[in-house]
Amino acid sequence: MLGLGLLAAVACAVPLVDGVRQTRAVLWAAARGAVQLLAIGLLLGAVFRAPVAVLPVLAVMVVAATATVAPRLAGLPARGRWRRPAAAAAAVTSGAAVTGTVVFATGALPLGVRNLVAVGGITVGGAMTASPLAGRRFLAELGARRAE
């Protein structure tokens, strides 16, 4: 808590040097971040005590990633309301599943709840970042090669 307070004080003071008054916004962001980290810590503590809960946690990660990715792919041609979210879910899930399979099947990490949550979070987050980039690139190529 002392470290968080010190970092928040520095984050509030530094903008004041340039005359930027953002103290309230910085303090609000720090408080919100602390509450979010506390909530996630409590949730993960419960998951580590009840290993069967890892599947719902991974499902929530995929749903959150899909909800983030689908609007970012708004330019993709898709008929029907469900196709874009389904494509986003497939991209996020397949990217994370392939990576997780390789990591655990090769023995790079032992299969366990902690490793599954960590690798799942990292790979779903990476797929969440990569999917809109790939989709935008796909759209750019469709436009550039329309004549073909």
Side-chain angles (χ1 to χ4, degrees), residues 15-75:
L16 291 175
V17 173
D18 288 331
V20 178
R21 304 212 185 287
Q22 292 293 322
T23 303
R24 184 179 298 168
V26 170
L27 290 176
W28 173 248
R32 191 181 70 215
V35 169
Q36 287 173 345
L37 287 175
L38 177 65
I40 293 296
L42 291 173
L43 176 71
L44 289 179
V47 169
F48 295 154
R49 285 189 299 278
V52 73
V54 74
L55 296 177
V57 167
L58 292 173
V60 167
M61 287 182 194
V62 169
V63 167
T66 299
T68 302
V69 169
R72 295 179 183 176
L73 298 175

